[in-house]
Structure formats: structure tokens, C-alpha cells
Amino acid sequence: MNERQSVLAANDPIISVRNVTAGYGDEIIIRDISFDVFAGEIFSILGRSGCGKTTLFKVMTGLLEPVEGAVVIDGEEIRAGESAQTGSVLKKVGVTFQSGALFTSMTLAENAAFPLRLHTRLPADTIERIVKLKLSEVGLEGFEELLPAELSGGMRKRAALARAMALDPKILFFDEPFAGLDPVTSATLDETILKINRSLGTTMVIVTHELASILRTADRVIMLDREEKGIIAQGSPQELRDKSDDPRVRDFFNRSASGPDSNEKSP
Amino acid sequence: MITVDLPGKNKANPKTTDRSGAGGSAGDAPNLGPSEFALDIHEKTFDELSLVLRGRLWVENAEEVRAALMRAVEHEPLKNVVVDLSEIDYIDSSGAAVLMELHRKCREMNNMLKLARAGPSVRRFLDLVDFDHFKDKPILRPRAAPPLLVQIGGGAERIYHTVQDIIMFIGAASIALYEDLRHPRQAKWDPLWKLIERSGSDAVPIVAILSFLMGAILAFQAAIQLRKFGANVFVADLVSVSICLEMGPLLAAIIVAGRSGAAYAAHIGAMQVTEEVDALRLMGVDPIRYLVSPRIVAVGLTLPCLTIFADIVGILGGCVVSVFALDLTPITYFNQVGRVLEVSDVVKGLIKSFAYGVEIAAIGCLRGFQVRGGAESVGQATTSAVVTSVFVLTVTDAIFAMFYHYTRFL
């Protein structure tokens, strides 16, 4: 455990996932998962396709009701189907979706201003300042008046991040932020994520399988597995890469497909 | 209310406090609540204004902080304004926006702003802020409307492109349809049955209810007038002929335009947005042939069927009203219908409804293919599919009416 990790572990857990079992219909995807995320850390959920990363992400953001268990964010239990108006907990959380989910009919600035106009009563010029600030924090100055359709994939992810950060949430969730980005763009997004984490102290939960980015950004990771329907490893990414005995973890970090259950499960 | 003590004037109390925020007490070492802040104003020398901000500087109190800061510097030109941030517990983006506003104001008044003694977390936060942002052009103002001439030109260009789209679409769809009908074995008819079910049988309940009511309403309105002349039995003439010639085909067509035409526009529009149409094209499938011709065939076939159904139910609706409101017996009613209604009336209606069906499906698909961009464009396409369909239906109806009349068709 390095210095930063010990400092972070001394913080209170800001997210507690307690004995969560979740799935769709009768199919259970993840079973009895428990873990804590500490304030200020970059926490990554890893695993191969189909291991339940997205399901866990949906449970943690309140998009999916767990079959059993609960997710507590900053002392409040999060419930599926709660809108940000009724659930104050959702105001502490910003989410960026895999596709960006920007509103296509609005400019970038309008996208980022949307939550501010909805949830605050700040005057227009203050909102405009905040929007400029957020867009410059993610490196999008000068693109404020473009529509999402006029942007590249990396810029769309950045814009989505600016929108998620608009209300200064304590926690940012990312679903596959690096999907479909070239290595250089991924690396600059890594830098942005690190910069925001270090300067604002925002807790970040990143669902991904992008090895390079995990190693560069994440303080702590958990790894899920489809067969196990649960966590098979946790710790810092370097630890898992260098010291894990589990062949599934080694395969993941070595990008090899030699392990005993490396075959994709047939449908 | 801010009063500023000049140095030396009142040595015993060199500090005047302007305190805002909910329930702030006037004590010297206040315990500030979570949404509270305090602004202390000192004037150290004749050319320096020193402000101390304490508490939280965030979205809940940004407006009050801003107002307090503006009041503090309003009448203090040509000074060094030093803001002490050492006692700020928490700052967020709206707080930063307030400080940016203060910076702008100070520059306006030729003051020098200095943010001093920020704690590590505040400092890290403020390091992200570019205080010169206010110089940029506004980003959230609605764009000014272009000059009238440009708008007219833009409109004309849009019309030109729309007409071009329509002509190209009609051409492509005709070729696709011709090919499919000439070589029916080569065509992909698998989706056809599903489409017939969706546009036809699924529409039966709503067509039944509306045409029954339409027949009943026609009979009722006719009855009020015809009763005056004792010509009750002619209700059957009026209802059956107007239902079969006009109301039945039109009603069924409007329902199908609202259901299937809109659905086709939304479906193909969404496919356009998610690049599914491009994927089809690259797999060597002609999207027009694959998507449009089965839809035209499906609606072309189902709409006449729905129309026959609407005719029958509409005449039944008229019968029910006649029996209850006009003391006719069902037998007299149907005898009269049989005497006056000719097969040609029904056939004329069905020919029209076939044309309507082709138009509805084609317009729905055309609008879908015209989608560019995202969700908003899909919405526009859906709306315009229905509106265009209803317009075209009415025009077609008028053309058929003249055609039937002047050619003495059937």
C-alpha cells in the first residue's frame, strides 16, 4: 500500500455497497457483493465483458433496483427510480455514460448549463461562468457553441464529463469512459480525470477494461467475474498485475487467453 | 449596510462586519452554519481594501456573497483589493464564478484584486480557474437571427433540397418496388407479415371504435334534419354512401397515418441516427428496397381491408342510432342501404384507400430517411410524417372526387 492509498483508506467510506445481489428478471448477474469506496479515491470496477460491471454500475447509480442489499452514498441509501428532485443523494453524484448521452439538440454550453438551470437558482451570468469554467477544466474552451454532432468521440466524452461536473458532485461515475478512444485521447482523458481528482478531491468510480488507463489512474480496483458472479480480486492495480495468484486476474492484466476458463461462455 | 472605518478614525474597533447568510450572529468568533458565510471589511491604508471571507462559498449562498462583495467594492475605485481566503471552509464552482465576477468588477474600477492566503484545497480549486474568462464572447446567449434575406434564401434552399429528396425517394422507391414485384422470389418478404400485423390487425380495435362512432354521429346529425320532413329512412342513404365513399377510407387512412406512418418515420429515423442505414448499405443491401418496399406493400394491402371493416362498422353505427332515435327497424334500414348503396361506391372507396396506403407508407419512410443528427430530428420527422400524410390524403381525395365525377368512372 503506497502513501496515497493509506491516506485515502483513512477517509470515511463515501460509498458502501452492502451485500448487493442484482440481475434482470430471474437471471442473477452479481451475487452478494460488498465493498467500500473511500472519499477522494479513484476506484475502478474491472472485468471481462459480461461479468456484471454495467449491472453493478446501474445499481450504484440507482438506475437498477438490487434484488437484495443496498448502496449507501454519503450516508444516504440510494433507491432506484428516485429522481434528483426527491433524492438529494443524486445531486452529490455525476454520471457520464458510455455514449456521452449529450442532448443532441443543445450546444455543449447548453448541455453543461442544463443541470445548473434545473437545480440551482443562480443568475444567468453566474451559470455562464460556471459552464465556461467546467468546459475549460475538461479542455473544451472555444467549442462551447458546437453541437454534439459536430464533435469527435473524445470531445463528446469530455463534454459529458463537464456536464456531470456542473453541480460539483462529490462523486463522479464513469461508464466505459475510454471505449472507442485512441490511445492518445485516452491518455489525455486520464490526465483530465487525475487533474480533477487531485484538485477537487472528487471521488471517482470508473467502470472499464482499459488496462493502460486503469494502471495510470486507479488507486484501487475490484475485479468481477462472470462464473463467480462476484468479486475475485481487489487491491491496487499494480498489486493485482504483479502479485495475483489467480489465473483469471493474471490473464486479464497480461492480455492473454490461456487461463482455464478463458473461453467465452457459449450462449 | 457597509460602513468602512478609515484607519485611525476609530482605533478601538477597526473592523466593521457585514454578515449575511442564514441566522449569522454578530459575534466576533462566529460559528457559521453550513450555508453561512461572513465578509469582514477592513481598510488598512488609503489605497488598500482588505476583505476577509469566512465559511462556505458555494451554490447555496453564491448570490448573497456576490451581492456583499459587489457592495464592498462598489465605491472603492483605484485601490488594491485583497481578499483573504484563509478561513474559507469550502468553495465550489459557483463560488469561483463569484470571485471571477469580483475580478471583472475590480478591473472595471481600476482596482487590483489579490486573492490571498488560500488554504491548500481552495488553492488547488482556484488553480483551475482562468480569471480572464470574462473577456470571451458569451456562450449561452441564443444566437441572433440572421438577416431576413439570408433567412429567405435558407428557406428556399431547404425547399429545393426537400423537393430533391422527394423526387429521388419516389424514383428509388418505384424502382425498388418494381424490382420486388417483378422478381418476387428475390425480394425479402420476411418482415412483411409482421408489418401487416402491426399496421393492419393491430389497428382494428381503434378503427372499429372510431368508425362506429362516426357512423352514429352522421346518422344522428342527419336524423335531426330529416325528421322535420318525415324522411327518416333516408338516414340510411346518407350514412352508407358517405361512409363508403368518404368517411370510411379517410378515417382508416388518418388512423393508419397516425399509427404506422409515424412509426415508420421514427423507426427509420432512429436507424439513420444509429448508422444502421449505413450498415445496411455497406452490407450490399439497398435500404430503400429493404425498408421501404415491404412497408408500402404492407400498408397498401392492409388499408383497403381496414376500410372495408370501417365501412361495415360505420353502417352498423348508423343503424344503432336509427333504431333508437328514429324508430326505424334494422330491416328497413338495411333494405334501404341495399337499395341505395352500389358496389361501385364501395370499390371507389377501396381504390382510394389503396392509394392512401401507398402514400402513407412512402411519406413515413421518406421522413425517416430525411432525419439528420439526433433525437430532435426524429421527433420532427415523426410529426411531419403525420402532417404531410394528412395533407396529401386530403389533396388525393379531392383529385379522386374530380376524377370519379368527370370520367364517370364505374
Side-chain angles (χ1 to χ4, degrees), chain B residues 118-318:
Chain B
S121 65
V122 174
R123 192 182 181 88
R124 277 199 304 270
F125 189 91
L126 291 179
D127 280 346
L128 296 176
V129 179
D130 178 357
F131 279 93
D132 286 330
H133 261 318
F134 62 85
K135 288 188 300 196
D136 299 351
K137 61 183 172 44
I139 52 169
L140 277 172
R141 307 289 139 75
R143 279 171 240 192
L148 190 63
L149 211 58
V150 175
Q151 288 190 42
I152 293 172
E157 203 185 337
R158 269 199 299 282
I159 290 173
Y160 170 74
H161 285 299
T162 310
V163 171
Q164 207 177 23
D165 279 354
I166 291 172
I167 291 171
M168 275 167 59
F169 178 82
I170 291 173
S174 313
I175 292 169
L177 208 57
Y178 173 73
E179 289 291 320
D180 274 356
L181 295 177
R182 207 166 62 124
H183 309 291
R185 280 169 195 284
Q186 287 171 17
K188 293 268 171 283
W189 297 118
D190 327 339
L192 186 63
W193 307 114
K194 196 81 201 163
L195 289 168
I196 287 178
E197 187 189 333
R198 291 259 173 81
S199 64
S201 32
D202 288 357
V204 165
I206 184 73
V207 169
I209 293 168
L210 290 187
S211 53
F212 184 88
L213 285 174
M214 190 49 73
I217 293 163
L218 277 176
F220 189 75
Q221 296 288 17
I224 294 170
Q225 303 302 325
L226 293 175
R227 206 157 32 187
K228 294 179 193 161
F229 308 105
N232 288 0
V233 77
F234 293 114
V235 168
D237 297 37
L238 197 141
V239 171
S240 59
V241 173
S242 56
I243 287 272
C244 289
L245 266 180
E246 288 296 334
M247 298 313 289
L250 216 49
L251 192 73
I254 288 173
I255 292 168
V256 170
R259 292 181 82 257
S260 306
Y264 296 163
H267 182 176
I268 296 177
M271 288 180 76
Q272 190 86 293
V273 172
T274 55
E275 299 176 318
E276 286 174 55
V277 173
D278 296 340
L280 281 176
R281 205 165 276 143
L282 292 180
M283 282 186 275
V285 181
D286 176 11
I288 303 268
R289 197 163 167 190
Y290 181 75
L291 293 170
V292 179
S293 60
R295 283 173 171 74
I296 290 180
V297 172
V299 182
L301 288 178
T302 53
L303 195 52
C305 301
L306 284 174
T307 304
I308 293 185
F309 185 71
D311 291 351
I312 295 168
V313 179
I315 291 171
L316 265 177

Side-chain angles (χ1 to χ4, degrees), chain A residues 56-113:
Chain A
L56 181 56
F57 177 81
K58 282 185 181 170
V59 171
M60 289 175 79
T61 48
L63 289 172
L64 180 71
E65 183 92 46
V67 180
E68 269 175 62
V71 176
V72 179
I73 290 184
D74 205 22
E76 282 178 81
E77 188 173 326
I78 186 161
R79 283 191 190 80
E82 222 169 45
S83 74
Q85 239 115 36
T86 53
S88 59
V89 61
L90 286 181
K91 284 189 191 170
K92 298 175 189 161
V93 169
V95 181
T96 69
F97 293 92
Q98 188 169 350
S99 60
L102 294 168
F103 303 120
T104 50
S105 51
M106 302 182 190
T107 64
L108 286 199
E110 284 164 341
N111 261 292

Side-chain angles (χ1 to χ4, degrees), chain B residues 10-39:
Chain B
N10 187 353
K11 292 258 192 276
N13 180 16
K15 180 154 77 177
T16 308
T17 305
D18 174 50
R19 178 157 294 133
S20 307
S25 70
D28 248 340
N31 290 318
L32 296 168
S35 67
E36 292 163 25
F37 76 100
L39 175 63

Side-chain angles (χ1 to χ4, degrees), chain B residues 98-114:
Chain B
V98 167
L99 294 179
M100 283 158 86
E101 172 72 14
L102 179 68
H103 180 56
R104 187 198 62 78
K105 183 78 181 170
C106 284
R107 183 171 286 215
E108 196 180 292
M109 314 205 36
N110 292 314
N111 289 342
M112 283 288 293
L113 176 69
K114 215 169 123 189

Side-chain angles (χ1 to χ4, degrees), chain A residues 105 128-129 134 168 200, chain B residues 93 101 125 139 141 376:
Chain A
S105 51
E128 187 161 353
R129 284 212 168 78
K134 293 296 161 194
D168 293 303
L200 305 183
Chain B
S93 307
E101 172 72 14
F125 189 91
I139 52 169
R141 307 289 139 75
E376 192 183 25

